[in-house]
Amino acid sequence: MRIIGGRAGGLILKVPKGLAVRPTPDLVKQAVFNSLGDRVVDAEVLELFAGTGALSLECVSRGARLAVCVERSARHAAVLRENWRRAGFPPETLELRIQDVFAALEPLAMSGRSFDLILADPPYGPKNSTARSESAAQRLLDDPWLPHLLRRGGRFVLGHAHRDRLEIPPVWREVKTMRHGDSVMRFLESCPPEWA
């Protein structure tokens, strides 16, 4: 697992031992960032379920101005901080929140924060082919605060398992879908009612 592009390209990232983290594979990351292109430059990024911060590190390496990372595990957050230090990124380019993602969204929105990019590759839920998904990915799509955190014209990139059939609420408009093995990455735009 490494940073693929930009000024820290090639840096091997530290990953906590065990199975509690499922890093986004390099091939998937490469495809995502090829698709995002210059949107990353000078962007303010929110990474949810940040884990080791691989997606945020990739953003800052490619010119993002700030990454706000939300990660519940203090152990994983410590690894994220270490990866940031090893990449040589200025400390002010990282804002790390050690808390549950779904507890973080309302306070972020209520404080007036907004982002050019929101990235989330949460833990995969159980196989779902008939019932409505109960995965973390579906919960993000259903969350009433998340659309307000994405700036007009911004992108929400959401990863989930191919076996997890998500329902996209009307507040989101899907722009693109990419499939790599069991991974699906959806690119969405937000359209809160007050923007209509």
Side-chain angles (χ1 to χ4, degrees):
M1 187 175 162
R2 63 196 173 93
I3 296 176
I4 298 168
R7 59 183 172 145
L11 177 72
I12 304 296
L13 300 177
K14 292 184 76 171
V15 180
K17 290 183 171 65
L19 301 174
V21 170
R22 179 193 49 78
T24 306
D26 283 355
L27 278 175
V28 175
K29 272 197 304 185
Q30 182 71 59
V32 165
F33 284 94
N34 284 347
S35 185
L36 289 173
D38 289 340
R39 285 181 176 277
V40 176
V41 178
D42 287 327
E44 292 187 13
V45 178
L46 173 63
E47 184 179 5
L48 306 173
F49 301 95
T52 59
L55 297 175
S56 292
L57 286 155
E58 196 71 45
C59 285
V60 173
S61 183
R62 294 170 185 252
R65 183 168 59 249
L66 170 71
V68 176
C69 296
V70 183
E71 169 54 48
R72 183 173 60 183
S73 165
R75 180 172 163 245
H76 296 165
V79 172
L80 191 160
R81 274 199 191 94
E82 174 64 11
N83 281 329
W84 217 266
R85 187 195 62 75
R86 292 175 64 237
F89 297 155
E92 63 270 18
T93 60
L94 171 66
E95 182 182 321
L96 183 54
R97 291 172 171 253
I98 304 173
Q99 66 182 132
D100 179 79
V101 162
F102 297 103
L105 297 178
E106 180 180 358
L108 279 169
M110 292 298 286
S111 69
R113 300 294 294 270
S114 63
F115 301 89
D116 304 293
L117 293 173
I118 299 176
L119 308 172
D121 195 8
Y124 288 171
K127 184 175 180 180
N128 169 52
S129 57
T130 55
R132 192 172 196 282
S133 176
E134 296 180 1
S135 66
Q138 184 67 62
R139 287 184 65 200
L140 284 174
L141 288 171
D142 294 338
D143 190 280
W145 298 104
L146 187 60
H148 300 281
L149 290 169
L150 188 64
R151 291 179 183 148
R152 190 188 295 261
R155 290 286 183 272
F156 172 31
V157 182
L158 176 63
H160 66 94
H162 178 69
R163 66 184 183 270
D164 189 12
R165 289 175 43 189
L166 302 182
E167 292 181 14
I168 311 292
V171 72
W172 295 107
R173 184 175 76 84
E174 191 163 9
V175 177
K176 183 175 187 175
T177 304
M178 295 171 19
R179 290 177 176 82
H180 291 271
D182 191 40
S183 295
V184 178
M185 302 300 284
R186 295 182 184 270
F187 293 67
L188 302 122
E189 289 180 336
S190 169
C191 187
E194 66 270 20
W195 289 3

